[in-house]
Amino acid sequence: MAKATADGDTTPVPQRLLAAATRLFAERGYDRTSVQEIVETAGVTKGALYHYFGSKDDLLHEVYARVLRLQQERLDAFADKNEPVERRLREAAADVVVTTIDNLDDAAIFFRSMHHLSPEKNKQVRVERRRYHERFRALIEEGQRTGVFSTETPADLVVDYHFGSVHHLSTWYRPNGPLTPQQLADQLADLLLRALRP
């Protein structure tokens, strides 16, 4: 439903709420942002927020979940390609870096505020993240089984190594730094592959 606000914004209400919440959570922090501030910034009523999200907790979960859904879809597409496993893994490893940088506020908010999620939502996020990591790990294991990758380093450790960098991008990546998102993604993907080559 895309009712226009006073300023003529016809963006659908859920997207307006998410955009407002993302901006406020990034600027002020989750715990210092009120529901009233979110709805005022989005130009909607509290009733609209509770209709679409149920709670501020649901908004925080959706900030992260929308990026994870995008990344899962893209990983599944890379993994399902009819290409050598080394190319599929490299594309997936670079893509998760680029999509995280493209959504850096979401990542920063989430890792700063995850402890505010209800136990149920926290568990749900861990399940969603595990599914992503397992699909990524399956590519590494495929390469190890077929002799393309070394088996010296366990696949779990390789996954933790790569995602340790990815999950903390919001703390060290600078948009005005010397590397574009794609250049940084390529370098991190190449590091991963170098660690796996026999």
Side-chain angles (χ1 to χ4, degrees), residues 143-162:
Q144 289 176 326
R145 266 194 324 273
T146 55
V148 176
F149 300 146
S150 166
T151 57
E152 276 184 43
T153 308
D156 279 338
L157 186 56
V158 177
V159 170
D160 290 343
Y161 162 76
H162 188 64

Side-chain angles (χ1 to χ4, degrees), residues 98-164:
V98 171
T99 52
T100 299
I101 290 171
D102 286 348
N103 298 280
L104 215 49
D105 275 350
D106 302 46
I109 290 162
F110 190 76
F111 287 107
R112 224 172 30 223
S113 308
M114 186 177 170
H115 62 283
H116 290 293
L117 285 176
S118 67
E120 179 190 313
K121 284 270 188 281
N122 210 304
K123 184 179 177 184
Q124 192 180 336
V125 163
R126 284 199 311 273
V127 167
E128 290 161 356
R129 230 167 66 197
R130 193 176 317 116
R131 179 174 172 254
Y132 184 92
H133 286 192
E134 284 171 359
R135 188 82 205 259
F136 194 90
R137 187 183 67 224
L139 283 172
I140 295 166
E141 289 170 338
E142 179 188 335
Q144 289 176 326
R145 266 194 324 273
T146 55
V148 176
F149 300 146
S150 166
T151 57
E152 276 184 43
T153 308
D156 279 338
L157 186 56
V158 177
V159 170
D160 290 343
Y161 162 76
H162 188 64
F163 287 98

Side-chain angles (χ1 to χ4, degrees), residues 11-25 35 37-53 59 63 66:
T11 307
V13 170
Q15 278 81 0
R16 287 210 306 262
L17 284 162
L18 272 170
T22 301
R23 192 166 86 241
L24 291 168
F25 293 165
V35 166
E37 288 168 322
I38 294 168
V39 297
E40 283 175 7
T41 303
V44 301
T45 63
K46 274 189 186 177
L49 184 145
Y50 293 125
H51 171 74
Y52 288 105
F53 292 101
L59 265 171
V63 163
R66 65 182 171 178

